[in-house]
Amino acid sequence: MPQLNINGRLHQVDVEPDTPLLWAIREQVGLTGTKYGCGIAQCGACTVHMDGAAVRSCAIPVSAAVGKKIVTIEGLAKGKVLHKMQKAWVDHDVPQCGYCQAGMIMAVAALLKDKPQPTDADIDATITNICRCGTFQQVREAIHAAAKA
Ligand code: FES
Ligand code: FES
């Protein structure tokens, strides 16, 4: 049975090696903050971190995640201390329906780790997550606010 390191804890998951990581996270481990949108690596709703990089977990087989450190939205805060992206999201009232937002925050958190002061061009090139509620302007403002924090 594959073993996954998710948010610092080891989990045995009873799935085939080619099962998408997203399903192991949601159905086996029970962490449902990571969402299913398109299932074909296009929308970003399923974004998690794998060894610090943002990946779309609907397109990653469980076999490719074994031995890696996976972090989901549930693991981003440190105890009760929000990650600065989460705080910026609250301060800027970013979410509308919220469905895309976990993936959006995970993608942005990875961007800020790589580029602490991203330009609008960096954001456009990297944050390709789809938000059907159209929160893109608020997302951009929150990213710049978090970069200054
Ligand atoms: S559900 Fe994974 S990118 Fe859309
Ligand atoms: S907040 Fe509704 S899809 Fe993005």
Side-chain angles (χ1 to χ4, degrees), residues 109-133:
L111 167 64
L112 279 196
K113 192 153 61 64
D114 291 343
K115 292 197 175 176
Q117 303 289 331
T119 63
D120 282 344
D122 294 329
I123 294 168
D124 289 345
T126 310
I127 307 303
T128 55
N129 301 47
I130 294 171
C131 172
R132 294 187 69 165
C133 299

mmCIF file with all atom_site columns, all heavy atoms in Angstrom, residues 109-133:
data_model
loop_
_atom_site.group_PDB
_atom_site.id
_atom_site.type_symbol
_atom_site.label_atom_id
_atom_site.label_alt_id
_atom_site.label_comp_id
_atom_site.label_asym_id
_atom_site.label_entity_id
_atom_site.label_seq_id
_atom_site.pdbx_PDB_ins_code
_atom_site.Cartn_x
_atom_site.Cartn_y
_atom_site.Cartn_z
_atom_site.occupancy
_atom_site.B_iso_or_equiv
_atom_site.pdbx_formal_charge
_atom_site.auth_seq_id
_atom_site.auth_comp_id
_atom_site.auth_asym_id
_atom_site.auth_atom_id
_atom_site.pdbx_PDB_model_num
ATOM 1   N N   . ALA A 1 109 ? 1.263   30.868 -2.680  1.00 0.00 ? 109 ALA A N   1
ATOM 2   C CA  . ALA A 1 109 ? 2.270   30.641 -1.629  1.00 0.00 ? 109 ALA A CA  1
ATOM 3   C C   . ALA A 1 109 ? 3.572   30.117 -2.238  1.00 0.00 ? 109 ALA A C   1
ATOM 4   O O   . ALA A 1 109 ? 4.673   30.526 -1.834  1.00 0.00 ? 109 ALA A O   1
ATOM 5   C CB  . ALA A 1 109 ? 1.730   29.671 -0.581  1.00 0.00 ? 109 ALA A CB  1
ATOM 6   N N   . ALA A 1 110 ? 3.461   29.243 -3.221  1.00 0.00 ? 110 ALA A N   1
ATOM 7   C CA  . ALA A 1 110 ? 4.670   28.733 -3.886  1.00 0.00 ? 110 ALA A CA  1
ATOM 8   C C   . ALA A 1 110 ? 5.353   29.834 -4.686  1.00 0.00 ? 110 ALA A C   1
ATOM 9   O O   . ALA A 1 110 ? 6.589   29.951 -4.685  1.00 0.00 ? 110 ALA A O   1
ATOM 10  C CB  . ALA A 1 110 ? 4.303   27.555 -4.797  1.00 0.00 ? 110 ALA A CB  1
ATOM 11  N N   . LEU A 1 111 ? 4.555   30.667 -5.349  1.00 0.00 ? 111 LEU A N   1
ATOM 12  C CA  . LEU A 1 111 ? 5.143   31.782 -6.110  1.00 0.00 ? 111 LEU A CA  1
ATOM 13  C C   . LEU A 1 111 ? 5.925   32.707 -5.181  1.00 0.00 ? 111 LEU A C   1
ATOM 14  O O   . LEU A 1 111 ? 7.063   33.088 -5.484  1.00 0.00 ? 111 LEU A O   1
ATOM 15  C CB  . LEU A 1 111 ? 4.032   32.577 -6.813  1.00 0.00 ? 111 LEU A CB  1
ATOM 16  C CG  . LEU A 1 111 ? 4.441   33.931 -7.395  1.00 0.00 ? 111 LEU A CG  1
ATOM 17  C CD1 . LEU A 1 111 ? 5.467   33.761 -8.518  1.00 0.00 ? 111 LEU A CD1 1
ATOM 18  C CD2 . LEU A 1 111 ? 3.228   34.713 -7.896  1.00 0.00 ? 111 LEU A CD2 1
ATOM 19  N N   . LEU A 1 112 ? 5.334   33.062 -4.045  1.00 0.00 ? 112 LEU A N   1
ATOM 20  C CA  . LEU A 1 112 ? 6.004   34.011 -3.144  1.00 0.00 ? 112 LEU A CA  1
ATOM 21  C C   . LEU A 1 112 ? 7.268   33.421 -2.527  1.00 0.00 ? 112 LEU A C   1
ATOM 22  O O   . LEU A 1 112 ? 8.179   34.165 -2.175  1.00 0.00 ? 112 LEU A O   1
ATOM 23  C CB  . LEU A 1 112 ? 5.054   34.451 -2.029  1.00 0.00 ? 112 LEU A CB  1
ATOM 24  C CG  . LEU A 1 112 ? 4.045   35.541 -2.357  1.00 0.00 ? 112 LEU A CG  1
ATOM 25  C CD1 . LEU A 1 112 ? 3.470   36.119 -1.099  1.00 0.00 ? 112 LEU A CD1 1
ATOM 26  C CD2 . LEU A 1 112 ? 4.634   36.642 -3.218  1.00 0.00 ? 112 LEU A CD2 1
ATOM 27  N N   . LYS A 1 113 ? 7.298   32.104 -2.393  1.00 0.00 ? 113 LYS A N   1
ATOM 28  C CA  . LYS A 1 113 ? 8.524   31.483 -1.877  1.00 0.00 ? 113 LYS A CA  1
ATOM 29  C C   . LYS A 1 113 ? 9.640   31.634 -2.913  1.00 0.00 ? 113 LYS A C   1
ATOM 30  O O   . LYS A 1 113 ? 10.773  31.950 -2.562  1.00 0.00 ? 113 LYS A O   1
ATOM 31  C CB  . LYS A 1 113 ? 8.261   30.004 -1.568  1.00 0.00 ? 113 LYS A CB  1
ATOM 32  C CG  . LYS A 1 113 ? 9.356   29.350 -0.767  1.00 0.00 ? 113 LYS A CG  1
ATOM 33  C CD  . LYS A 1 113 ? 8.837   28.188 0.057   1.00 0.00 ? 113 LYS A CD  1
ATOM 34  C CE  . LYS A 1 113 ? 8.244   27.080 -0.785  1.00 0.00 ? 113 LYS A CE  1
ATOM 35  N NZ  . LYS A 1 113 ? 9.182   26.421 -1.667  1.00 0.00 ? 113 LYS A NZ  1
ATOM 36  N N   . ASP A 1 114 ? 9.293   31.461 -4.177  1.00 0.00 ? 114 ASP A N   1
ATOM 37  C CA  . ASP A 1 114 ? 10.297  31.583 -5.252  1.00 0.00 ? 114 ASP A CA  1
ATOM 38  C C   . ASP A 1 114 ? 10.611  33.041 -5.560  1.00 0.00 ? 114 ASP A C   1
ATOM 39  O O   . ASP A 1 114 ? 11.754  33.396 -5.845  1.00 0.00 ? 114 ASP A O   1
ATOM 40  C CB  . ASP A 1 114 ? 9.786   30.915 -6.540  1.00 0.00 ? 114 ASP A CB  1
ATOM 41  C CG  . ASP A 1 114 ? 9.710   29.417 -6.397  1.00 0.00 ? 114 ASP A CG  1
ATOM 42  O OD1 . ASP A 1 114 ? 10.335  28.879 -5.463  1.00 0.00 ? 114 ASP A OD1 1
ATOM 43  O OD2 . ASP A 1 114 ? 9.002   28.791 -7.202  1.00 0.00 ? 114 ASP A OD2 1
ATOM 44  N N   . LYS A 1 115 ? 9.594   33.874 -5.553  1.00 0.00 ? 115 LYS A N   1
ATOM 45  C CA  . LYS A 1 115 ? 9.765   35.301 -5.894  1.00 0.00 ? 115 LYS A CA  1
ATOM 46  C C   . LYS A 1 115 ? 9.049   36.125 -4.840  1.00 0.00 ? 115 LYS A C   1
ATOM 47  O O   . LYS A 1 115 ? 7.843   36.390 -4.971  1.00 0.00 ? 115 LYS A O   1
ATOM 48  C CB  . LYS A 1 115 ? 9.155   35.592 -7.268  1.00 0.00 ? 115 LYS A CB  1
ATOM 49  C CG  . LYS A 1 115 ? 9.910   34.944 -8.384  1.00 0.00 ? 115 LYS A CG  1
ATOM 50  C CD  . LYS A 1 115 ? 9.564   35.544 -9.716  1.00 0.00 ? 115 LYS A CD  1
ATOM 51  C CE  . LYS A 1 115 ? 10.467  34.909 -10.756 1.00 0.00 ? 115 LYS A CE  1
ATOM 52  N NZ  . LYS A 1 115 ? 10.201  35.301 -12.105 1.00 0.00 ? 115 LYS A NZ  1
ATOM 53  N N   . PRO A 1 116 ? 9.759   36.555 -3.809  1.00 0.00 ? 116 PRO A N   1
ATOM 54  C CA  . PRO A 1 116 ? 9.099   37.261 -2.713  1.00 0.00 ? 116 PRO A CA  1
ATOM 55  C C   . PRO A 1 116 ? 8.440   38.577 -3.135  1.00 0.00 ? 116 PRO A C   1
ATOM 56  O O   . PRO A 1 116 ? 7.537   39.043 -2.450  1.00 0.00 ? 116 PRO A O   1
ATOM 57  C CB  . PRO A 1 116 ? 10.245  37.506 -1.715  1.00 0.00 ? 116 PRO A CB  1
ATOM 58  C CG  . PRO A 1 116 ? 11.277  36.482 -2.048  1.00 0.00 ? 116 PRO A CG  1
ATOM 59  C CD  . PRO A 1 116 ? 11.170  36.256 -3.530  1.00 0.00 ? 116 PRO A CD  1
ATOM 60  N N   . GLN A 1 117 ? 8.902   39.170 -4.228  1.00 0.00 ? 117 GLN A N   1
ATOM 61  C CA  . GLN A 1 117 ? 8.306   40.443 -4.700  1.00 0.00 ? 117 GLN A CA  1
ATOM 62  C C   . GLN A 1 117 ? 7.864   40.266 -6.154  1.00 0.00 ? 117 GLN A C   1
ATOM 63  O O   . GLN A 1 117 ? 8.435   40.873 -7.069  1.00 0.00 ? 117 GLN A O   1
ATOM 64  C CB  . GLN A 1 117 ? 9.348   41.579 -4.626  1.00 0.00 ? 117 GLN A CB  1
ATOM 65  C CG  . GLN A 1 117 ? 9.953   41.806 -3.256  1.00 0.00 ? 117 GLN A CG  1
ATOM 66  C CD  . GLN A 1 117 ? 8.962   42.428 -2.281  1.00 0.00 ? 117 GLN A CD  1
ATOM 67  O OE1 . GLN A 1 117 ? 8.053   43.159 -2.687  1.00 0.00 ? 117 GLN A OE1 1
ATOM 68  N NE2 . GLN A 1 117 ? 9.117   42.129 -1.002  1.00 0.00 ? 117 GLN A NE2 1
ATOM 69  N N   . PRO A 1 118 ? 6.849   39.492 -6.423  1.00 0.00 ? 118 PRO A N   1
ATOM 70  C CA  . PRO A 1 118 ? 6.477   39.225 -7.824  1.00 0.00 ? 118 PRO A CA  1
ATOM 71  C C   . PRO A 1 118 ? 5.887   40.457 -8.503  1.00 0.00 ? 118 PRO A C   1
ATOM 72  O O   . PRO A 1 118 ? 5.184   41.249 -7.875  1.00 0.00 ? 118 PRO A O   1
ATOM 73  C CB  . PRO A 1 118 ? 5.428   38.115 -7.692  1.00 0.00 ? 118 PRO A CB  1
ATOM 74  C CG  . PRO A 1 118 ? 4.837   38.299 -6.341  1.00 0.00 ? 118 PRO A CG  1
ATOM 75  C CD  . PRO A 1 118 ? 5.944   38.827 -5.472  1.00 0.00 ? 118 PRO A CD  1
ATOM 76  N N   . THR A 1 119 ? 6.217   40.598 -9.770  1.00 0.00 ? 119 THR A N   1
ATOM 77  C CA  . THR A 1 119 ? 5.611   41.659 -10.581 1.00 0.00 ? 119 THR A CA  1
ATOM 78  C C   . THR A 1 119 ? 4.267   41.165 -11.112 1.00 0.00 ? 119 THR A C   1
ATOM 79  O O   . THR A 1 119 ? 3.946   39.970 -11.025 1.00 0.00 ? 119 THR A O   1
ATOM 80  C CB  . THR A 1 119 ? 6.514   41.988 -11.779 1.00 0.00 ? 119 THR A CB  1
ATOM 81  O OG1 . THR A 1 119 ? 6.588   40.808 -12.605 1.00 0.00 ? 119 THR A OG1 1
ATOM 82  C CG2 . THR A 1 119 ? 7.917   42.391 -11.350 1.00 0.00 ? 119 THR A CG2 1
ATOM 83  N N   . ASP A 1 120 ? 3.517   42.078 -11.710 1.00 0.00 ? 120 ASP A N   1
ATOM 84  C CA  . ASP A 1 120 ? 2.254   41.649 -12.335 1.00 0.00 ? 120 ASP A CA  1
ATOM 85  C C   . ASP A 1 120 ? 2.526   40.614 -13.421 1.00 0.00 ? 120 ASP A C   1
ATOM 86  O O   . ASP A 1 120 ? 1.743   39.675 -13.604 1.00 0.00 ? 120 ASP A O   1
ATOM 87  C CB  . ASP A 1 120 ? 1.513   42.857 -12.925 1.00 0.00 ? 120 ASP A CB  1
ATOM 88  C CG  . ASP A 1 120 ? 0.806   43.671 -11.845 1.00 0.00 ? 120 ASP A CG  1
ATOM 89  O OD1 . ASP A 1 120 ? 0.634   43.165 -10.712 1.00 0.00 ? 120 ASP A OD1 1
ATOM 90  O OD2 . ASP A 1 120 ? 0.444   44.820 -12.137 1.00 0.00 ? 120 ASP A OD2 1
ATOM 91  N N   . ALA A 1 121 ? 3.636   40.787 -14.143 1.00 0.00 ? 121 ALA A N   1
ATOM 92  C CA  . ALA A 1 121 ? 3.973   39.806 -15.193 1.00 0.00 ? 121 ALA A CA  1
ATOM 93  C C   . ALA A 1 121 ? 4.270   38.436 -14.587 1.00 0.00 ? 121 ALA A C   1
ATOM 94  O O   . ALA A 1 121 ? 3.867   37.401 -15.133 1.00 0.00 ? 121 ALA A O   1
ATOM 95  C CB  . ALA A 1 121 ? 5.169   40.302 -16.002 1.00 0.00 ? 121 ALA A CB  1
ATOM 96  N N   . ASP A 1 122 ? 4.968   38.428 -13.440 1.00 0.00 ? 122 ASP A N   1
ATOM 97  C CA  . ASP A 1 122 ? 5.226   37.149 -12.759 1.00 0.00 ? 122 ASP A CA  1
ATOM 98  C C   . ASP A 1 122 ? 3.912   36.481 -12.360 1.00 0.00 ? 122 ASP A C   1
ATOM 99  O O   . ASP A 1 122 ? 3.734   35.269 -12.503 1.00 0.00 ? 122 ASP A O   1
ATOM 100 C CB  . ASP A 1 122 ? 6.052   37.366 -11.478 1.00 0.00 ? 122 ASP A CB  1
ATOM 101 C CG  . ASP A 1 122 ? 7.450   37.861 -11.743 1.00 0.00 ? 122 ASP A CG  1
ATOM 102 O OD1 . ASP A 1 122 ? 8.023   37.521 -12.797 1.00 0.00 ? 122 ASP A OD1 1
ATOM 103 O OD2 . ASP A 1 122 ? 7.995   38.588 -10.875 1.00 0.00 ? 122 ASP A OD2 1
ATOM 104 N N   . ILE A 1 123 ? 3.003   37.303 -11.840 1.00 0.00 ? 123 ILE A N   1
ATOM 105 C CA  . ILE A 1 123 ? 1.709   36.762 -11.395 1.00 0.00 ? 123 ILE A CA  1
ATOM 106 C C   . ILE A 1 123 ? 0.943   36.204 -12.596 1.00 0.00 ? 123 ILE A C   1
ATOM 107 O O   . ILE A 1 123 ? 0.424   35.087 -12.553 1.00 0.00 ? 123 ILE A O   1
ATOM 108 C CB  . ILE A 1 123 ? 0.896   37.861 -10.675 1.00 0.00 ? 123 ILE A CB  1
ATOM 109 C CG1 . ILE A 1 123 ? 1.602   38.251 -9.379  1.00 0.00 ? 123 ILE A CG1 1
ATOM 110 C CG2 . ILE A 1 123 ? -0.535  37.380 -10.399 1.00 0.00 ? 123 ILE A CG2 1
ATOM 111 C CD1 . ILE A 1 123 ? 1.059   39.513 -8.723  1.00 0.00 ? 123 ILE A CD1 1
ATOM 112 N N   . ASP A 1 124 ? 0.920   36.972 -13.693 1.00 0.00 ? 124 ASP A N   1
ATOM 113 C CA  . ASP A 1 124 ? 0.188   36.515 -14.880 1.00 0.00 ? 124 ASP A CA  1
ATOM 114 C C   . ASP A 1 124 ? 0.775   35.212 -15.417 1.00 0.00 ? 124 ASP A C   1
ATOM 115 O O   . ASP A 1 124 ? 0.040   34.332 -15.886 1.00 0.00 ? 124 ASP A O   1
ATOM 116 C CB  . ASP A 1 124 ? 0.241   37.579 -15.982 1.00 0.00 ? 124 ASP A CB  1
ATOM 117 C CG  . ASP A 1 124 ? -0.602  38.793 -15.631 1.00 0.00 ? 124 ASP A CG  1
ATOM 118 O OD1 . ASP A 1 124 ? -1.430  38.693 -14.710 1.00 0.00 ? 124 ASP A OD1 1
ATOM 119 O OD2 . ASP A 1 124 ? -0.405  39.841 -16.274 1.00 0.00 ? 124 ASP A OD2 1
ATOM 120 N N   . ALA A 1 125 ? 2.110   35.090 -15.360 1.00 0.00 ? 125 ALA A N   1
ATOM 121 C CA  . ALA A 1 125 ? 2.763   33.903 -15.925 1.00 0.00 ? 125 ALA A CA  1
ATOM 122 C C   . ALA A 1 125 ? 2.589   32.676 -15.046 1.00 0.00 ? 125 ALA A C   1
ATOM 123 O O   . ALA A 1 125 ? 2.580   31.542 -15.543 1.00 0.00 ? 125 ALA A O   1
ATOM 124 C CB  . ALA A 1 125 ? 4.254   34.195 -16.134 1.00 0.00 ? 125 ALA A CB  1
ATOM 125 N N   . THR A 1 126 ? 2.444   32.894 -13.742 1.00 0.00 ? 126 THR A N   1
ATOM 126 C CA  . THR A 1 126 ? 2.489   31.760 -12.807 1.00 0.00 ? 126 THR A CA  1
ATOM 127 C C   . THR A 1 126 ? 1.118   31.379 -12.271 1.00 0.00 ? 126 THR A C   1
ATOM 128 O O   . THR A 1 126 ? 0.826   30.191 -12.114 1.00 0.00 ? 126 THR A O   1
ATOM 129 C CB  . THR A 1 126 ? 3.408   32.118 -11.610 1.00 0.00 ? 126 THR A CB  1
ATOM 130 O OG1 . THR A 1 126 ? 4.633   32.620 -12.122 1.00 0.00 ? 126 THR A OG1 1
ATOM 131 C CG2 . THR A 1 126 ? 3.677   30.905 -10.739 1.00 0.00 ? 126 THR A CG2 1
ATOM 132 N N   . ILE A 1 127 ? 0.306   32.362 -11.999 1.00 0.00 ? 127 ILE A N   1
ATOM 133 C CA  . ILE A 1 127 ? -1.000  32.066 -11.385 1.00 0.00 ? 127 ILE A CA  1
ATOM 134 C C   . ILE A 1 127 ? -2.029  31.934 -12.503 1.00 0.00 ? 127 ILE A C   1
ATOM 135 O O   . ILE A 1 127 ? -2.706  32.898 -12.876 1.00 0.00 ? 127 ILE A O   1
ATOM 136 C CB  . ILE A 1 127 ? -1.393  33.153 -10.354 1.00 0.00 ? 127 ILE A CB  1
ATOM 137 C CG1 . ILE A 1 127 ? -0.259  33.344 -9.348  1.00 0.00 ? 127 ILE A CG1 1
ATOM 138 C CG2 . ILE A 1 127 ? -2.694  32.768 -9.651  1.00 0.00 ? 127 ILE A CG2 1
ATOM 139 C CD1 . ILE A 1 127 ? 0.162   32.074 -8.605  1.00 0.00 ? 127 ILE A CD1 1
ATOM 140 N N   . THR A 1 128 ? -2.119  30.729 -13.025 1.00 0.00 ? 128 THR A N   1
ATOM 141 C CA  . THR A 1 128 ? -3.020  30.461 -14.148 1.00 0.00 ? 128 THR A CA  1
ATOM 142 C C   . THR A 1 128 ? -4.290  29.755 -13.667 1.00 0.00 ? 128 THR A C   1
ATOM 143 O O   . THR A 1 128 ? -5.049  29.225 -14.484 1.00 0.00 ? 128 THR A O   1
ATOM 144 C CB  . THR A 1 128 ? -2.293  29.621 -15.215 1.00 0.00 ? 128 THR A CB  1
ATOM 145 O OG1 . THR A 1 128 ? -1.789  28.434 -14.598 1.00 0.00 ? 128 THR A OG1 1
ATOM 146 C CG2 . THR A 1 128 ? -1.149  30.398 -15.836 1.00 0.00 ? 128 THR A CG2 1
ATOM 147 N N   . ASN A 1 129 ? -4.484  29.763 -12.362 1.00 0.00 ? 129 ASN A N   1
ATOM 148 C CA  . ASN A 1 129 ? -5.692  29.144 -11.795 1.00 0.00 ? 129 ASN A CA  1
ATOM 149 C C   . ASN A 1 129 ? -6.932  29.872 -12.317 1.00 0.00 ? 129 ASN A C   1
ATOM 150 O O   . ASN A 1 129 ? -6.913  31.090 -12.484 1.00 0.00 ? 129 ASN A O   1
ATOM 151 C CB  . ASN A 1 129 ? -5.670  29.242 -10.265 1.00 0.00 ? 129 ASN A CB  1
ATOM 152 C CG  . ASN A 1 129 ? -4.460  28.562 -9.659  1.00 0.00 ? 129 ASN A CG  1
ATOM 153 O OD1 . ASN A 1 129 ? -3.341  28.762 -10.105 1.00 0.00 ? 129 ASN A OD1 1
ATOM 154 N ND2 . ASN A 1 129 ? -4.684  27.753 -8.659  1.00 0.00 ? 129 ASN A ND2 1
ATOM 155 N N   . ILE A 1 130 ? -7.985  29.103 -12.516 1.00 0.00 ? 130 ILE A N   1
ATOM 156 C CA  . ILE A 1 130 ? -9.239  29.679 -13.018 1.00 0.00 ? 130 ILE A CA  1
ATOM 157 C C   . ILE A 1 130 ? -10.187 29.937 -11.850 1.00 0.00 ? 130 ILE A C   1
ATOM 158 O O   . ILE A 1 130 ? -10.356 29.080 -10.983 1.00 0.00 ? 130 ILE A O   1
ATOM 159 C CB  . ILE A 1 130 ? -9.898  28.712 -14.024 1.00 0.00 ? 130 ILE A CB  1
ATOM 160 C CG1 . ILE A 1 130 ? -9.009  28.596 -15.261 1.00 0.00 ? 130 ILE A CG1 1
ATOM 161 C CG2 . ILE A 1 130 ? -11.305 29.178 -14.392 1.00 0.00 ? 130 ILE A CG2 1
ATOM 162 C CD1 . ILE A 1 130 ? -9.435  27.511 -16.224 1.00 0.00 ? 130 ILE A CD1 1
ATOM 163 N N   . CYS A 1 131 ? -10.747 31.139 -11.844 1.00 0.00 ? 131 CYS A N   1
ATOM 164 C CA  . CYS A 1 131 ? -11.754 31.495 -10.840 1.00 0.00 ? 131 CYS A CA  1
ATOM 165 C C   . CYS A 1 131 ? -13.013 31.913 -11.586 1.00 0.00 ? 131 CYS A C   1
ATOM 166 O O   . CYS A 1 131 ? -13.024 32.958 -12.240 1.00 0.00 ? 131 CYS A O   1
ATOM 167 C CB  . CYS A 1 131 ? -11.266 32.632 -9.945  1.00 0.00 ? 131 CYS A CB  1
ATOM 168 S SG  . CYS A 1 131 ? -12.568 33.238 -8.845  1.00 0.00 ? 131 CYS A SG  1
ATOM 169 N N   . ARG A 1 132 ? -14.074 31.122 -11.455 1.00 0.00 ? 132 ARG A N   1
ATOM 170 C CA  . ARG A 1 132 ? -15.305 31.445 -12.189 1.00 0.00 ? 132 ARG A CA  1
ATOM 171 C C   . ARG A 1 132 ? -16.020 32.638 -11.582 1.00 0.00 ? 132 ARG A C   1
ATOM 172 O O   . ARG A 1 132 ? -16.902 33.213 -12.214 1.00 0.00 ? 132 ARG A O   1
ATOM 173 C CB  . ARG A 1 132 ? -16.216 30.223 -12.247 1.00 0.00 ? 132 ARG A CB  1
ATOM 174 C CG  . ARG A 1 132 ? -15.577 29.116 -13.067 1.00 0.00 ? 132 ARG A CG  1
ATOM 175 C CD  . ARG A 1 132 ? -16.496 27.982 -13.279 1.00 0.00 ? 132 ARG A CD  1
ATOM 176 N NE  . ARG A 1 132 ? -17.580 28.366 -14.169 1.00 0.00 ? 132 ARG A NE  1
ATOM 177 C CZ  . ARG A 1 132 ? -18.387 27.514 -14.765 1.00 0.00 ? 132 ARG A CZ  1
ATOM 178 N NH1 . ARG A 1 132 ? -18.220 26.227 -14.565 1.00 0.00 ? 132 ARG A NH1 1
ATOM 179 N NH2 . ARG A 1 132 ? -19.355 27.933 -15.545 1.00 0.00 ? 132 ARG A NH2 1
ATOM 180 N N   . CYS A 1 133 ? -15.659 32.995 -10.364 1.00 0.00 ? 133 CYS A N   1
ATOM 181 C CA  . CYS A 1 133 ? -16.253 34.195 -9.745  1.00 0.00 ? 133 CYS A CA  1
ATOM 182 C C   . CYS A 1 133 ? -15.491 35.455 -10.131 1.00 0.00 ? 133 CYS A C   1
ATOM 183 O O   . CYS A 1 133 ? -15.909 36.557 -9.752  1.00 0.00 ? 133 CYS A O   1
ATOM 184 C CB  . CYS A 1 133 ? -16.282 34.067 -8.234  1.00 0.00 ? 133 CYS A CB  1
ATOM 185 S SG  . CYS A 1 133 ? -17.266 32.690 -7.634  1.00 0.00 ? 133 CYS A SG  1
#
